[in-house]
Amino acid sequence: MQHVISPVGYVRSCFKEKFAIPRQPHLAPAARGVLELVPPFDTGEAVAGLEQVSHVWLLFLFHQALEDKPRLKVRPPRLGGNQSIGVFASRSTHRPNGIGQSVVKLEKVEAGRLWLSGIDLLDGTPVIDIKPYVPYADRQDGALNAIADAAPGLIPVDWEPSALLQAHEHGQRLGEPLAELVEQCLAQDPRPAYQKPEPERRYGARLWDVDVRWHYPEPGRIRVLEIARG
């Protein structure tokens, strides 16, 4: 049986590319975006009452990771990228139907727009459904996941003075907490776990309309080198 699914909206996100996106929601509270609803859901009727809700579930499509042939096993970054487990034991982007889910904070509700924070969604992500988070039902205090039993450890992030000044200037222009966003994303160490970075190697990612560049002066530490408008 086949079923056709149409997006109810698209996310306009601070994340313009996949690299450096947090691997779970709420790991970067400064990560913000707007869910723009499409007709017929953009008149305000479909979100009536949602202003009483603090968080929502978003069901979405991994639109840049859709695959014709389903994978039975994947290599999650949480396990170093070298250990395989069953696809249904992970939250890998390589899903049989390309469907993901995230709990995000609802900052503001408008007719046709939901303002979000704590997101882990790429710009342009198609959202196929929205559901209110229900604390008494969705939170399970005795739940266990031995594969990911705690948030990933953070590494220290420091700045070239000029880069920090650039971050504050661009953040003020954008009206966004850009310096906090950079620190929250990079502290989770976005590089593949199996990769051993050399100090001379430069890394980069695009957040909002700026390019963030950094390196690893030593293992387990990041230094932000530049924030430049692309």
Side-chain angles (χ1 to χ4, degrees), residues 23-24 27 75-81 83 145-153 193:
R23 296 185 177 111
Q24 300 291 344
L27 295 180
R75 299 175 183 271
R78 185 62 182 262
L79 299 180
Q83 183 178 341
N145 185 330
I147 298 172
D149 59 353

Side-chain angles (χ1 to χ4, degrees), residues 101-122:
Q101 63 177 15
S102 288
V103 175
V104 299
K105 187 176 181 182
L106 189 57
E107 297 287 352
K108 183 169 62 172
V109 179
E110 294 180 349
R113 289 185 180 87
L114 301 182
W115 299 77
L116 312 169
S117 67
I119 64 174
D120 60 344
L121 302 172
L122 182 66

Side-chain angles (χ1 to χ4, degrees), residues 52-133:
Q52 302 176 72
V53 175
S54 68
H55 294 72
V56 291
W57 288 98
L58 299 182
L59 301 182
F60 60 90
L61 296 177
F62 289 111
H63 62 300
Q64 290 193 7
L66 297 176
E67 300 175 339
D68 294 329
K69 183 179 179 180
R71 300 190 188 193
L72 302 183
K73 304 196 79 174
V74 295
R75 299 175 183 271
R78 185 62 182 262
L79 299 180
N82 291 317
Q83 183 178 341
S84 294
I85 61 174
V87 64
F88 296 136
S90 82
R91 293 195 183 187
S92 166
T93 59
H94 303 288
R95 312 305 306 173
N97 290 295
I99 297 175
Q101 63 177 15
S102 288
V103 175
V104 299
K105 187 176 181 182
L106 189 57
E107 297 287 352
K108 183 169 62 172
V109 179
E110 294 180 349
R113 289 185 180 87
L114 301 182
W115 299 77
L116 312 169
S117 67
I119 64 174
D120 60 344
L121 302 172
L122 182 66
D123 188 58
T125 293
V127 172
I128 58 176
D129 204 356
I130 306 162
K131 297 177 184 289
Y133 183 86

Side-chain angles (χ1 to χ4, degrees), residues 6 37-38 47 50 64 78 82 95 114 131 176-177 179 190 196 213:
S6 297
L37 302 175
V38 299
V47 296
L50 205 53
Q64 290 193 7
R78 185 62 182 262
N82 291 317
R95 312 305 306 173
L114 301 182
K131 297 177 184 289
E176 295 289 342
K196 304 302 179 186
R213 299 185 180 93

Side-chain angles (χ1 to χ4, degrees), residues 34-45:
V34 180
L35 173 53
E36 296 182 346
L37 302 175
V38 299
F41 308 106
D42 60 344
T43 63
E45 293 181 76

